[in-house]
Amino acid sequence: MKVSHTPAAVSAAFDDRNLIAYAGLVPVMRLAERCGLSRLTAQKVKLTGAGNGAGAAADAKVTSIVGGMAAGADSIDDLHLLRHGAMPAVFDGIRAPSTLGTFLRAFTHGHALQLHAVHRRFLGALAAHTPLLPGAGVTAFIDVDSTHKRVYGRTKQGAEYGRFKGIRTLHPLLATICTPHSRPVIAAVRMRRGKAADARGAPKLVSEALATAVEAGCTGMRILRADSQFYNAGVIAACRRAGARFSITTGMNPSIKRAVLSIPNDAWQKISYPNAVEDPDTGDLISDAEVAEIPAYTAFASRKKSERVTARLIVRRVRDLAKPAVVGEQGELFPVWRYHPFFTDNPAGTLQAEREHRHHAVVEQVIADSKAGALVHLPSGHFHANSAWLTLWAMAYNLLRAVGAHASAFHAKATTATLRAHLVHVPARIARSARRITLHLPHNWPWQQAWTHMFAITHGPPGLI
C-alpha cells in the first residue's frame, strides 16, 4: 500500500464540526444508560464535604470517565478525547479532564466503597440485560488474584517497594466471574499499598465477589479458585458462609508434602493434554503429567477444631526437567517429579476437577488486559483517587464485555483492545434532519454486521435488551 497522491497534492485541516472519532461510544453508553449507571451513581456516590464543587454531578463525571476508558483513555489527560468534533451533539454532560481529576482527588475510603456498590449493581444489571455469563445458572467460577502495577514518583501515596526489588508498585487485588462458556468479568477490586501481603483483605473480597456473582445470575454451583497465597482458613470460611465451593492451590508445606509422598504409585492417572504426542510404537500419548487424589485431607490441623477443614487434596505431578532422572543399566530408576497440589470440595471427577482448577489461569487474561488499557497508568498521586480509577476501569471493562456479547460470538470472547478497535474506534459524520441524528459510518467497514447488530439492540425497544 502507498499514498495515492504526491505530497504537494495532500493537505490537512482540523475544521470539521460534524465528525466524531468514536461512533461506537453511542451504543456503548446507551447500554450503560439502560443498565442504570447514571442512576446508580446518583443514588450511591455522595462526596459530602468535597470542596470546589467536586461532588456535584457525580453521575456525569463517572459516566464521562467510564466512556473515556471505553474509548481507550489510560490517564486523566486522555479523557480529553471525548471533547472533539460533534461529540457534544450526541452526548450531554461531558466533563473536562481537569474537572474529572478534581473529582477523583476528592475521594476518600468511604467514597470508594460507595463506588464499589455502584460497580456491583451495574454488573448485575449488565448480566440481566445481556448474555454476559451464559450458563451461570449451572456453574460459575470466581477467580481471585493480585497483581503489582509499577508507578513512578516518590510522593505517590501507597507506592512502596514490595515483591520487585527497586521498583515501586501499588498492589491491586481483583476477583473475576466466568462460566465454562464465557470470558471473565470483574466482580470486585481493591487497591492496596505496594508491600501489602497477597492475601491481605482476601476473605472480605471473596465474600463480596461471591455475593456479586449471585446478583449477576450465578444461581448454580459457584466455585472459588485461587493460587497458594490465598490458601488460608479465612478464605475457605468465607466460601463456606456463602454456600460456595473452593479450589485453591496449597503449595508444598510439610503436612502437604507428607500426604503427597504417601500416595501409592498405582494411584496416579495419566493426563491427556490436547498437544500430547502419540508414541509410534505403543500408541500411548506421551505426557509426563499424572494426577492422584487423597479423598479426605484435613487442612489447618494445628488450628482450633472449628477452623479445620476436611476435603479432597488433588495432586498433579510432572517430570522435573531441571533434574534428570537417575538412569542405570536397566533403564530409568528414579524419575524426579514436581508436585502441584490443590485443596478442593469440587464434586467433579478427579481429572475434571484438575482441569477446571488449571483454568484459573484465565484471570491472567484480565490482568494483562488491564495493563494494556486503563491501568497502563495509575494516574494520581492520591491513593483513593487511584482506588476510584481502578473501580471505574472495572466498570468500563464489564461494559465492553457486555457490548461484545451483544455484537457477535467472536466479539463475546475478544479482548477489550479488539472490541475498541472493531466496535468503538469507528469514525462517523453527523447529519441532522427533522430533529433526528444519523451517523454516517465508513462504507465497507469490516465489522459492520457486528456493529449494526449491537446498535440495533441497544437502541431498540426495551424488550430487546
Side-chain angles (χ1 to χ4, degrees):
M1 184 174 71
K2 63 180 182 179
V3 179
S4 60
H5 293 74
T6 63
V10 178
S11 61
F14 288 90
D15 59 358
D16 197 324
R17 298 180 180 273
N18 292 315
L19 290 178
I20 58 174
Y22 309 110
L25 280 181
V26 176
V28 168
M29 298 312 294
R30 178 67 71 185
L31 178 60
E33 181 181 328
R34 286 195 167 189
C35 292
L37 180 57
S38 295
R39 174 179 51 80
L40 290 169
T41 303
Q43 290 174 353
K44 299 292 182 181
V45 180
K46 309 291 184 182
L47 271 67
T48 55
N52 302 323
D59 53 341
K61 294 170 183 175
V62 164
T63 52
S64 292
I65 296 173
V66 170
M69 288 179 171
D74 60 23
S75 67
I76 294 174
D77 285 345
D78 273 1
L79 296 170
H80 217 335
L81 57 78
L82 298 176
R83 296 161 62 85
H84 70 273
M87 290 291 281
V90 290
F91 295 105
D92 291 327
I94 299 175
R95 295 300 192 264
S98 58
T99 301
L100 299 175
T102 301
F103 171 68
L104 291 171
R105 289 189 293 272
F107 270 73
T108 64
H109 176 66
H111 298 138
L113 294 181
Q114 294 173 1
L115 201 59
H116 292 162
V118 174
H119 165 70
R120 292 194 300 272
R121 286 160 179 77
F122 183 52
L123 175 57
L126 288 172
H129 288 84
T130 67
L132 191 58
L133 293 167
V138 179
T139 304
F141 299 102
I142 293 84
D143 296 293
V144 178
D145 205 352
S146 64
T147 184
H148 285 266
K149 182 68 191 75
R150 184 174 188 176
V151 295
Y152 301 88
R154 296 178 178 273
T155 61
K156 190 172 289 259
Q157 294 177 351
E160 296 171 334
Y161 297 121
R163 178 179 300 174
F164 303 102
K165 184 176 181 180
I167 296 177
R168 295 177 183 271
T169 66
L170 289 172
H171 194 178
L173 179 66
L174 72 158
T176 65
I177 307 171
C178 70
T179 71
H181 312 291
S182 75
R183 284 288 294 262
V185 295
I186 300 170
V189 289
R190 288 289 185 278
M191 181 63 74
R192 302 172 305 167
R193 60 195 182 96
K195 64 180 181 182
D198 285 333
R200 180 179 177 86
K204 186 174 181 180
L205 183 95
V206 165
S207 297
E208 179 182 321
L210 291 171
T212 302
V214 174
E215 292 184 32
C218 301
T219 55
M221 181 170 60
R222 293 165 295 153
I223 302 176
L224 178 91
R225 302 184 296 198
D227 290 332
S228 58
Q229 60 263 37
F230 301 100
Y231 175 62
N232 62 63
V235 169
I236 293 178
C239 293
R240 291 286 175 90
R241 287 193 301 270
R245 299 183 181 272
F246 57 85
S247 183
I248 304 176
T249 302
T250 65
M252 287 291 285
N253 62 43
S255 174
I256 297 287
K257 187 174 183 178
R258 286 193 299 270
V260 169
L261 295 179
S262 70
I263 298 174
N265 283 332
D266 59 1
W268 295 94
Q269 305 177 56
K270 289 187 177 181
I271 302 178
S272 298
Y273 286 123
N275 295 326
V277 180
E278 184 176 346
D279 189 315
D281 297 324
T282 65
D284 294 334
L285 293 175
I286 301 173
S287 174
D288 291 330
E290 299 177 348
V291 175
E293 174 181 345
I294 298 174
Y297 173 80
T298 300
F300 320 118
S302 62
R303 303 176 73 97
K304 57 185 181 181
K305 189 173 181 179
S306 61
E307 296 180 354
R308 299 172 190 171
V309 181
T310 300
R312 307 163 70 188
L313 184 69
I314 298 177
V315 187
R316 177 170 60 94
R317 69 179 186 180
V318 296
R319 293 294 182 93
D320 191 344
L321 300 179
K323 299 176 181 178
V326 178
V327 179
E329 294 180 357
Q330 297 179 352
E332 184 178 69
L333 297 179
F334 305 108
V336 181
W337 300 92
R338 287 185 291 114
Y339 296 94
H340 303 276
F342 65 97
F343 190 52
T344 183
D345 60 354
N346 184 347
T350 302
L351 295 182
Q352 181 182 343
E354 193 277 335
R355 183 170 58 252
E356 290 177 348
H357 179 76
R358 277 190 287 113
H359 191 251
H360 164 68
V362 73
V363 71
E364 298 294 342
Q365 296 176 359
V366 179
I367 293 173
D369 203 312
S370 73
K371 294 179 179 180
L375 295 195
V376 167
H377 306 100
L378 290 169
S380 179
H382 295 253
F383 180 84
H384 296 301
N386 287 326
S387 180
W389 184 266
L390 176 68
T391 307
L392 291 164
W393 160 74
M395 293 184 198
Y397 177 91
N398 291 343
L399 178 59
L400 285 174
R401 291 253 60 87
V403 165
H406 266 324
S408 70
F410 168 80
H411 291 100
K413 295 190 175 183
T415 65
T416 56
T418 299
L419 294 176
R420 283 191 291 269
H422 292 187
L423 304 176
V424 179
H425 295 173
V426 188
R429 182 184 297 277
I430 303 298
R432 300 172 177 86
S433 176
R435 297 184 181 180
R436 295 176 60 88
I437 288 180
T438 301
L439 300 175
H440 292 278
L441 294 97
H443 174 66
N444 210 25
W445 183 254
W447 305 280
Q448 175 182 340
Q449 185 175 357
W451 197 98
T452 304
H453 187 254
M454 170 188 71
F455 183 87
I457 291 179
T458 56
H459 282 73
L464 293 180
I465 188 172

